[in-house]
């Protein structure tokens, strides 16, 4: 659920005088993107799940990107989520954008996200700001997806600094 597997191997050796042998395995970290796939649902189903799911993780947008659509495209690529908001509603430049995203794990667990983005239109070079609210039935799914978003934002910023330096 939270992307980490713990375990031990316990075994007996025939003819041995000791009781048992135990090998402690290192933590195995699993990337959430290996089991999340984009999915679709109706607006009614989205609202129903949004009201039902109790685990929420709010992630602040931290980016150097200056275009709302570019940030949303980047977010979709890094999360394997599908944008449910129609393209027509996302067109134009008005200084803000809101979108609903949805994905499903291969185990059948739903993950929802509501993206609220802003851009100071008076300052063309100002970065996109806002937040992403993630909801899921389990705490692990909500936290793992939030961690993935934060990690992708940090990676993107490091790449931008490297290309500018």
């Amino acid at each position: 659920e939270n992307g980490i597997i713990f375990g031990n191997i316990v075994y007996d050796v025939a003819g041995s005088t000791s009781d048992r042998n135990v090998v402690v395995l290192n933590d195995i970290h699993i990337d959430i993107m290996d089991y999340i796939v984009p999915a679709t649902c109706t607006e009614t189903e989205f609202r129903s799940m949004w009201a039902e799911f109790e685990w929420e993780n709010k992630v602040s947008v931290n980016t150097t990107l200056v275009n709302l659509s570019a940030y949303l495209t980047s977010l979709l690529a890094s999360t394997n989520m599908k944008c449910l908001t129609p393209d027509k509603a996302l067109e134009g430049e008005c200084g803000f954008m809101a979108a609903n995203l949805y994905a499903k794990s291969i185990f059948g667990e739903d993950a929802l996200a509501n993206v609220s983005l802003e851009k100071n239109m008076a300052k063309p070079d100002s970065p996109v700001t806002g937040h992403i609210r993630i909801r899921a039935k389990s705490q692990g799914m909500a936290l793992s997806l939030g961690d993935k978003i934060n990690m992708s934002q940090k990676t993107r910023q490091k790449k931008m600094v490297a290309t500018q330096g």
Side-chain angles (χ1 to χ4, degrees):
E1 179 178 289
N2 63 1
I4 301 173
I5 298 174
F6 304 94
N8 299 321
I9 298 174
V10 181
Y11 63 95
D12 294 323
V13 177
S16 173
T17 57
S18 65
D19 287 341
R20 288 209 159 125
N21 294 303
V22 178
V23 177
V24 178
L25 300 175
N26 288 334
D27 300 348
I28 301 170
H29 293 269
I30 297 174
D31 187 355
I32 190 172
M33 303 321 323
D34 292 340
Y35 63 92
I36 287 263
V37 292
T40 59
C41 66
T42 67
E43 186 176 331
T44 305
E45 290 169 330
F46 184 92
R47 289 176 192 254
S48 174
M49 286 186 282
W50 189 267
E52 175 190 336
F53 294 171
E54 58 187 69
W55 290 105
E56 180 170 308
N57 187 4
K58 188 173 180 179
V59 178
S60 294
V61 171
N62 183 10
T63 184
T64 54
L65 293 174
V66 297
N67 181 284
L68 298 172
S69 296
Y71 182 82
L72 181 62
T73 301
S74 172
L75 181 65
L76 293 172
S78 67
T79 60
N80 282 355
M81 297 187 89
K82 179 175 177 65
C83 183
L84 301 177
T85 305
D87 290 340
K88 191 163 185 81
L90 301 173
E91 291 175 353
E93 286 291 327
C94 61
F96 65 91
M97 177 185 285
N100 290 330
L101 313 180
Y102 179 58
K104 203 171 188 99
S105 79
I106 58 174
F107 309 110
E109 186 175 2
D110 302 295
L112 310 172
N114 175 262
V115 182
S116 299
L117 304 174
E118 294 180 57
K119 165 87 173 130
N120 184 344
M121 298 303 281
K123 297 180 181 178
D125 291 336
S126 65
V128 172
T129 59
H131 61 270
I132 303 150
R133 292 171 58 197
I134 303 157
R135 286 206 181 171
K137 273 188 182 175
S138 72
Q139 180 183 24
M141 176 68 87
L143 293 177
S144 293
L145 208 44
D147 289 346
K148 188 67 179 178
I149 292 168
N150 280 324
M151 192 169 51
S152 70
Q153 289 183 139
K154 287 177 186 171
T155 303
R156 191 177 316 113
Q157 284 189 336
K158 284 181 184 175
K159 285 181 183 174
M160 293 292 290
V161 170
T163 57
Q164 293 172 353

